[in-house]
Amino acid sequence: MKIFCWICLLVSLTGLGSCLVEETGGEPLKDLSEQMDVLAILQETVGQDLKKGDYEGAVQMARSMDSVFGICNKTFKKHQRLKEPFVDFYEIKMEKAMKQLIRSLKKRDSLAATDHYEYLVKRCNSCHNENEVAERAHL
């Protein structure tokens, strides 16, 4: 009887302990598709500001885009829609393009900014192609 009580106590403590353990590595609270929606809005706004000649607004939106990319880099080490961690795509496809875009916007160089903006959109879409995502970034 004593052994049975000890076994019940151990099972109960194990069950209670497993309820208290925080699940790590689960899905983030804000999913990748939500972050991509934010990026789409920011990217479109950069394009609109660039067309209007609002370089300050475009710089702010481009910096916001890069900030969201930073969140994605930290948050999405694994994701069902990604073949590699997000940071791998960012470092190869987006990091240089973002820096070039921001630099040209700060200089108010319309031609360079337009070229870098279009290049960034192409880089976004190439990542979507690699990960078989149907949505597209638009100019």
Side-chain angles (χ1 to χ4, degrees), residues 38-128:
V38 171
L39 283 168
I41 292 166
L42 293 169
Q43 175 256 312
E44 184 177 329
T45 305
V46 169
Q48 291 171 352
D49 287 348
L50 186 55
K51 284 180 186 174
K52 292 188 293 190
D54 180 3
Y55 293 98
E56 290 178 27
V59 167
Q60 288 178 354
M61 293 300 105
R63 284 185 176 155
S64 294
M65 280 183 72
D66 207 32
S67 175
V68 174
F69 282 135
I71 291 168
C72 292
N73 288 340
K74 291 176 189 168
T75 306
F76 300 106
K77 307 289 184 214
K78 288 175 132 183
H79 192 272
Q80 73 272 11
R81 305 250 341 233
L82 295 175
K83 294 180 180 176
E84 303 291 332
F86 187 89
V87 70
D88 292 354
F89 295 105
Y90 175 78
E91 288 174 348
I92 293 168
K93 296 180 178 292
M94 309 309 263
E95 187 171 28
K96 184 177 177 183
M98 282 302 312
K99 287 180 181 177
Q100 290 173 332
L101 174 61
I102 292 170
R103 186 173 28 249
S104 62
L105 289 168
K106 284 181 179 179
K107 291 180 181 179
R108 297 175 173 259
D109 184 343
S110 178
L111 292 174
T114 300
D115 286 346
H116 293 307
Y117 174 75
E118 290 173 359
Y119 180 70
L120 178 67
V121 171
K122 288 177 185 174
R123 300 307 287 171
C124 290
N125 286 329
S126 72
C127 187
H128 290 198

Side-chain angles (χ1 to χ4, degrees), residues 17-40:
S18 67
C19 291
L20 298 176
V21 173
E22 188 175 314
E23 185 69 31
T24 58
E27 284 297 314
L29 294 176
K30 194 164 193 176
D31 193 50
L32 180 61
S33 61
E34 293 177 76
Q35 296 295 351
M36 291 294 117
D37 290 344
V38 171
L39 283 168

